[in-house]
Amino acid sequence: MEVTKETLLGFYETMVTIRTFEEKAMELFAAGYIPGFVHLYIGEEAVATGVCANLTERDFITSTHRGHGHLIAKGGKIDLMMAELMGKVTGYCKGKGGSMHIADVDLGILGANGIVGAGQPIAAGAAFACKYKKQDNVCVCFFGDGASNRGTFHEALNLASIFKLPVIYVCENNLYGISNCQRDHMNVSDISDRAASYGIPGVSVDGNDVMAVYEAAAEAVKRARKGEGPSMIECKTWRHRGHFEGDPGIYKNAKEQEAWIKKDPIIKLEKKLVEYEYAAEDELNAIKDAAKERIEAAVEFAKNSPDPEPEDVLRDVYAD
Amino acid sequence: MKTMTYVEALRDGMRFEMNKDPNVYLAGEDVGIFGGCFGQTAGLYQEFGPERVIDTPITETAIIGHAVGAAASGLRPIVEIMFIDFTGVCMDEILNQATKMRYMFGGKAKVPMVIRTPCGAGVGAAAQHSQSLEAFFTHIPGIKVVMPSVAADARGLMIAAIRDDNPVMYIEHKGLLGVEGEVPEGDVVVPLGKADIKKEGSDVTIVAWSAMVGKAMNAAASLEKEGISAEVLDPRTLKPLDIDSILSSVAKTGKLVIVHEANKTGGFGGEIAALVADQGFDYLNAPIKRVTAPDSPVPFSPVLEKAYVPGEEKIIAAVKELFA
Ligand SMILES: Cc1ncc(C[n+]2csc(CCOP(=O)(O)OP(=O)(O)O)c2C)c(N)n1
Ligand SMILES: [Mg+2]
């Protein structure tokens, strides 16, 4: 597949924005600005970036508890995200949801989710709506290796397969569900093998190689848009941080961690950009600096935003 | 007596029974080397090994379902659901399997299992990790529901729950896990279905459970200074409910305020109010009041969460209304 310089630099910018956002969230959580649970996407940026590059605003995604990267890649606004993380009334969910529930329904982002595996049937439903309305938009469902053990996974993929729904199941296999590593929580090594049980295509790709992810997703999205039904893509990757901020990750092998850090998706892409002579180091630094500036502005916005009012508790329970 | 935190106490209860009965085992997500999301099972994996402290995949349906089968076949599982909110995922296994088997089989099966699960708001965990869902379970015939408020009860109720021959929902409050208390050691059980008067008083009965007991105690202390003597009664077990102790207290005070963190409509406070209205109507000289969360999901923002969770000031205001 031909990928232009602009496309690759676009990937780089998105990945760097996600990384910078997450590093900031980490810092703000430690400093007490962000309450609750924060699950960071650091190390997995290539997945959301490569997949969402195939989507438009009319397409849907369902996200997870580790959702910041999905939102940014799908075009989510970082100032509204940052304000939501801090529980401000200007945030995406008016301070009602926080990190685990950020959504932008106008952009087709049907929410991060606090219930592991809950997005799988919801994604089938969004895809059902696309098909029902005879439109060619699609839904992408992001979920983890751990989530692929939920009953929702099996029920949703079966339903999607018999209904031939335009949905792409993207498994972010970071090899762990909290402390439970893949070899202890399932008996297969390629989660994409599970697609065969539903008679749909399943592929495994290097989730730290944004090009590989992009290409696999392009194929699956094309199929879905043409009415050829669902697919599954397994992206093998690694989370650099603990499960949530505050988890020291004692269950991980230090050597394994070290090896995976070396396979950092951003560094991988940087090498490629330099090798192809698409960008020199100072240009890459300029992209990084610009991301930092945008994130700082988002933080300022969030910090200067007001809290919700106590009366807001009872608002938005029902539609009027 | 030994000073322990609530979480140490409930863990010690599990450890005590695991040492006594080889058929008791523990299973759930990240209960092994990770030690539980809030450290509830820390050290048990090292002590009892992987055969008795078992990490499961993310598979609540099978966690509860397997426990039903294992319990019906002679074991005594303790299974953890990481947050009570996730019981939505395995509701059939609780609602139609664990709690129905004995009855449907004409009393010929026993399902001795404990479902341990944290509840409660206050940690910024938002709508899917903060609920108080006890009333879902008290509504199901065939399961017992316990909600300890202090370390001693956490241990004693745990031992009683494991020994009980029925499914027991053991609901631990996230906000209480680190609270210290004096805990009796050895084979000391807090019987299921027995309330405890946490503070005696003569003017009004405050019935509260779980994290609301501490708030009721603080409210009672403030009210004392204003000349109102409040009795704080903790049912400890919601099902079976020690209604006799509640009625005796109301017979003495003539007034009842019920406090729970769960939202109001369909909450267990309504059940207690109905029982007292039915069996203790003549004792009452004022309406029964409920102090609860509003009928909304649990919000994320600390400002909203604070407004959501019933606080001391709301309890004090409800009591004072009865004396106005
Ligand atoms: C139904 C349900 N069970 C358990 C949890 C607690 N939990 C939150 S994230 C997580 C691990 C998820 O693992 P995976 O799907 O691999 O995603 P990752 O965190 O690795 O991105 C668990 C067990 C939950 N939120 N929902
Ligand atoms: Mg994972």
Side-chain angles (χ1 to χ4, degrees):
Chain A
M1 191 188 254
E2 256 323 295
V3 178
T4 63
K5 173 180 162 183
E6 284 65 38
T7 308
L8 271 190
L9 282 171
F11 291 167
Y12 185 71
E13 187 181 348
T14 304
M15 288 166 67
V16 163
T17 304
I18 297 171
R19 175 73 53 98
T20 314
F21 184 93
E22 295 296 63
E23 283 171 349
K24 200 64 190 177
M26 179 167 108
E27 185 187 313
L28 292 167
F29 179 85
Y33 284 101
I34 299 176
F37 290 101
V38 175
H39 305 81
L40 298 179
Y41 199 62
I42 296 177
E44 308 186 24
E45 294 90 346
V47 181
T49 302
V51 169
C52 290
N54 291 287
L55 305 180
T56 74
E57 283 194 8
R58 293 174 46 252
D59 295 314
F60 294 94
I61 65 165
T62 61
S63 173
T64 67
H65 55 286
R66 200 175 301 291
H68 306 164
H70 308 144
L71 261 98
I72 291 173
K74 186 69 172 53
K77 299 176 190 67
I78 52 176
D79 48 350
L80 307 192
M81 287 177 64
M82 203 53 101
E84 188 57 37
L85 294 193
M86 292 194 208
K88 298 304 181 79
V89 74
T90 53
Y92 256 129
C93 314
K94 303 179 196 164
K96 291 231 172 78
S99 166
M100 265 193 297
H101 305 294
I102 302 189
D104 185 336
V105 177
D106 294 335
L107 285 177
I109 302 168
L110 298 177
N113 210 311
I115 303 296
V116 169
Q120 296 153 350
I122 293 173
F128 180 87
C130 298
K131 185 172 177 181
Y132 189 91
K133 292 182 182 166
K134 300 194 167 30
Q135 294 167 346
D136 75 344
N137 46 347
V138 304
C139 183
V140 167
C141 172
F142 292 103
F143 62 100
D145 49 300
S148 75
N149 293 323
R150 278 282 323 275
T152 47
F153 170 81
H154 302 281
E155 296 190 26
L157 265 76
N158 186 55
L159 191 89
S161 71
I162 53 164
F163 289 179
K164 272 202 165 200
L165 299 177
V167 54
I168 299 96
Y169 286 96
V170 177
C171 181
E172 305 183 299
N173 182 4
N174 58 14
L175 304 174
Y176 280 84
I178 309 189
S179 69
N180 210 350
C181 73
Q182 189 193 347
R183 64 180 169 274
D184 293 331
H185 73 60
M186 64 173 66
N187 213 12
V188 291
S189 48
D190 287 335
I191 301 178
S192 62
D193 284 355
R194 290 184 167 176
S197 337
Y198 310 102
I200 65 171
V203 294
S204 294
V205 299
D206 176 355
N208 283 13
D209 178 351
V210 66
M211 275 304 302
V213 174
Y214 176 72
E215 284 171 11
E219 176 69 29
V221 169
K222 194 169 83 189
R223 267 176 52 79
R225 289 204 202 284
K226 283 202 302 200
E228 290 171 11
S231 326
M232 181 178 164
I233 302 166
E234 176 194 16
C235 303
K236 300 203 195 257
T237 184
W238 186 259
R239 69 168 149 76
H240 290 191
R241 303 284 302 166
H243 171 67
F244 40 50
E245 283 307 278
D247 163 24
I250 51 153
Y251 44 83
K252 277 188 173 175
N253 175 307
K255 282 217 176 81
E256 213 181 2
Q257 166 87 355
E258 207 180 302
W260 273 98
I261 300 266
K262 287 204 185 110
K263 294 191 263 183
D264 185 316
I266 293 185
I267 295 174
K268 205 170 198 150
L269 180 56
E270 275 173 357
K271 278 191 190 138
K272 214 172 264 180
L273 286 166
V274 173
E275 181 192 322
Y276 294 174
E277 294 181 3
Y278 281 174
E281 210 156 306
D282 55 338
E283 289 169 273
L284 297 181
N285 285 336
I287 292 176
K288 282 184 181 162
D289 290 343
K292 275 202 189 97
E293 243 169 72
R294 276 180 286 126
I295 304 283
E296 279 309 330
V299 173
E300 277 313 297
F301 169 78
K303 283 189 178 166
N304 293 327
S305 290
D307 284 320
E309 296 293 332
E311 303 78 65
D312 292 341
V313 168
L314 278 168
R315 295 203 178 104
D316 295 322
V317 179
Y318 294 98
D320 298 323
Chain B
M1 288 285 189
K2 196 173 164 191
T3 307
M4 284 185 204
T5 59
Y6 180 101
V7 70
E8 285 165 351
L10 74 87
R11 186 193 308 137
D12 201 53
M14 290 193 276
R15 179 187 289 122
F16 190 80
E17 282 307 282
M18 287 181 77
N19 273 319
K20 237 177 117 244
D21 183 350
N23 286 330
V24 178
Y25 70 97
L26 173 68
E29 292 159 21
D30 305 283
V31 298
I33 193 87
F34 194 70
C37 201
F38 298 99
Q40 300 101 311
T41 58
L44 296 181
Y45 178 85
Q46 289 81 351
E47 191 171 340
F48 296 101
E51 278 185 19
R52 294 183 70 196
V53 180
I54 302 159
D55 272 330
T56 68
I58 305 172
T59 191
E60 286 77 9
T61 308
I63 292 173
I64 302 298
H66 108 276
V68 175
S73 313
L75 300 183
R76 304 186 86 83
I78 306 169
V79 277
E80 178 179 305
I81 297 296
M82 196 182 281
F83 288 75
I84 197 169
D85 314 69
F86 310 161
T87 56
V89 165
C90 47
M91 204 46 133
D92 180 68
E93 283 57 43
I94 302 173
L95 172 68
N96 288 317
Q97 313 305 331
T99 56
K100 300 283 197 289
M101 199 181 246
R102 179 177 180 79
Y103 186 82
M104 294 188 305
F105 296 177
K108 298 217 172 98
K110 269 197 315 200
V111 188
M113 58 186 272
V114 177
I115 303 172
R116 258 196 48 239
T117 188
C119 75
V123 298
Q128 297 172 338
H129 286 73
S130 305
Q131 298 171 85
S132 292
L133 299 176
E134 61 269 22
F136 273 35
F137 302 101
T138 56
H139 192 59
I140 309 175
I143 192 164
K144 300 185 179 181
V145 180
V146 305
M147 292 187 82
S149 69
V150 294
D153 293 346
R155 184 176 186 278
L157 286 169
M158 177 59 78
I159 296 175
I162 298 169
R163 288 184 192 172
D164 199 276
D165 276 339
N166 297 284
V168 178
M169 198 77 195
Y170 182 101
I171 306 175
E172 53 206 41
H173 196 290
K174 297 194 272 292
L176 295 175
L177 296 173
V179 180
E180 284 190 340
E182 290 301 302
V183 180
E185 292 174 271
D187 196 341
V188 182
V189 169
V190 172
L192 304 187
K194 190 143 179 19
D196 186 38
I197 301 213
K198 297 290 186 207
K199 176 192 168 297
E200 289 197 16
S202 52
D203 299 333
V204 56
T205 301
I206 304 177
V207 171
W209 53 89
S210 194
M212 290 298 118
V213 172
K215 299 208 171 164
M217 293 293 279
N218 292 342
S222 299
L223 288 163
E224 204 78 41
K225 289 185 200 129
E226 303 190 37
I228 297 174
S229 163
E231 178 145 299
V232 178
L233 185 148
D234 174 4
R236 303 193 287 195
T237 307
L238 296 185
K239 201 168 187 185
L241 180 70
D242 184 359
I243 186 65
D244 291 344
S245 292
I246 296 174
L247 288 168
S248 316
S249 176
V250 176
K252 179 170 71 172
T253 63
K255 293 181 175 61
L256 175 61
V257 173
I258 305 158
V259 189
H260 58 65
E261 186 179 316
N263 54 283
K264 187 174 244 167
T265 304
F268 196 68
E271 185 60 33
I272 295 178
L275 285 168
V276 173
D278 182 12
Q279 299 172 38
F281 188 71
D282 292 340
Y283 306 143
L284 291 165
N285 57 34
I288 300 170
K289 289 283 166 198
R290 281 181 289 164
V291 180
T292 71
D295 282 336
S296 78
V298 183
F300 166 68
S301 146
V303 175
L304 298 179
E305 196 179 34
K306 187 162 178 292
Y308 175 90
V309 178
E312 281 147 50
E313 63 308 328
K314 288 197 182 125
I315 303 173
I316 293 170
V319 168
K320 283 190 178 167
E321 237 183 277
L322 301 180
F323 292 90

